[in-house]
Amino acid sequence: MENEVSNKMAIINDTRKPLAARLPLECPLSISVTTANVCNLKCEFCAISNKEHKRNKSFMELNDYKILINRIVESKWHLKQLVLVGLGEPLLNKNIVDFVKIAKSTNKIDKVHIVTNGTLLTHELSDKLIEAGIDVIRVSINGLSKEDYLKYTGVDVDFDELIDNLSYFYNHKNENTKLYIKIMDYQIENKEHIFEKIFKNISDVINVEYLTEMDVTKDYDEITNEYSKKGLKGFEKVDTKICPLPFYHIYCNADATISACCVAGPWYTPPALIIGDLHSDKLSDIWKSKSFNKFLIAMLEYGKNAADPVCSKCKAYLSYIYPEDVLDGKTQNIIKQLQIKMEG
């Protein structure tokens, strides 16, 4: 199963190398960006549908996004990917096409991704995103019919129109652009053959993913009791104490602050685990700062339960760990190198 999933992910993200042998990194491999903290759907597993949460309903402004891109360029970093995502729906941001175009113009980012529910992807927007140079669109499908969408997202979605728009994007994109279509396993209830029949010929990759416990205030057993068996991408979960995410990936919040984690950023209001502000700090300074590297060392020495109070509450990190990224038992040399990095 792991080889099958790894092959699917390689089409989208390239082949992963063992993380421990590469640490510490001179710069993160990827940055995710909150484009919108609002959404047009109300998925039952998402914090946006949780009325207990006080959400900061915000969009990333074009000027703040330009600051991010300028900071990447001035740092002389070269990223593997920039992911336009957020807790909400990226296509709601009126500047989404410009976001892609600006990032691609730098030649400092290998791939620009958008993670979307796809319901706002019109023919016209597809043309503009393709022209702007989008590399990957990852579409989260939430059912196999109009009735399913009403059940799982609380919204009346024209399912036939959704299929038409995805087909249009796939048939008009260039060969270097990839369309990745995914669905949660509990939303298809052993109807994988129907999912494959609908989407196989209108996407580069289809995948069944697994529910991740992102919202610490929700009882996910009320949604499904299957979520804990596999990681998000289908890997068997590894019993590890160390979260590898902040060692290779950081998160830019809608207000241009930087969080050490893609979970702590959009899922908290205000964003958590703040390690810098792009209005005043260079990205390279944030990445090399003593405070951030002390956090990484604490993660290596004591694990996520002691690294930070936010980390101790997190139940999502195990779902995000690829087999190549496990750091448990491989910490001694990394800690030494991080200490040298701080002294320098």
Side-chain angles (χ1 to χ4, degrees), residues 102-168:
I102 292 168
K104 293 300 295 182
S105 70
T106 66
N107 294 317
K108 296 292 184 181
I109 302 164
D110 287 344
K111 292 182 180 179
V112 178
H113 294 228
I114 293 176
V115 182
T116 172
N117 62 44
T119 58
L120 302 176
L121 188 67
T122 62
H123 292 193
E124 180 183 5
L125 182 55
S126 290
D127 290 338
K128 290 180 179 179
L129 289 170
I130 293 167
E131 183 180 359
I134 187 66
D135 294 289
V136 180
I137 289 191
R138 288 148 53 184
V139 179
S140 301
I141 298 298
N142 289 284
L144 300 178
S145 66
K146 180 177 181 178
E147 291 73 24
D148 282 352
Y149 266 83
L150 194 58
K151 175 182 178 181
Y152 295 124
T153 74
V155 176
D156 189 1
V157 171
D158 189 328
F159 188 71
D160 291 335
E161 183 178 52
L162 172 62
I163 301 305
D164 175 72
N165 286 328
L166 292 174
S167 299
Y168 182 90

Side-chain angles (χ1 to χ4, degrees), residues 33-35 59-70 84 93-103 252-256 278-279:
V33 184
T34 289
T35 54
F59 294 92
M60 170 160 272
E61 300 292 339
L62 184 58
N63 286 340
D64 282 339
Y65 182 80
K66 288 179 178 178
I67 290 173
L68 166 65
I69 300 301
N70 289 337
L84 303 175
N93 193 309
K94 64 182 181 180
N95 297 308
I96 192 68
V97 174
D98 288 329
F99 288 175
V100 175
K101 192 180 301 183
I102 292 168
C252 182
N253 300 300
D255 60 0
L278 295 180
H279 294 105

Side-chain angles (χ1 to χ4, degrees), residues 272-285:
L273 281 179
I274 299 295
I275 57 174
D277 188 329
L278 295 180
H279 294 105
S280 56
D281 306 323
K282 294 182 178 180
L283 265 174
S284 55
D285 290 342

Side-chain angles (χ1 to χ4, degrees), residues 11-67:
I11 295 173
I12 303 301
N13 297 325
D14 299 328
T15 302
R16 297 178 82 88
K17 299 177 182 178
L19 181 62
R22 307 177 70 182
L23 296 180
L25 296 168
E26 286 299 313
C27 70
L29 300 177
S30 63
I31 298 177
S32 288
V33 184
T34 289
T35 54
N37 272 328
V38 296
C39 190
N40 61 319
L41 300 184
K42 299 177 182 178
C43 298
E44 58 187 346
F45 54 81
C46 183
I48 280 185
S49 65
N50 190 340
K51 295 181 180 179
E52 295 181 10
H53 278 299
K54 293 181 179 179
R55 298 306 312 164
N56 178 17
K57 296 181 179 180
S58 58
F59 294 92
M60 170 160 272
E61 300 292 339
L62 184 58
N63 286 340
D64 282 339
Y65 182 80
K66 288 179 178 178
I67 290 173

Side-chain angles (χ1 to χ4, degrees), residues 250-262:
I250 55 177
Y251 200 96
C252 182
N253 300 300
D255 60 0
T257 56
I258 298 293
S259 290
C261 173
C262 62

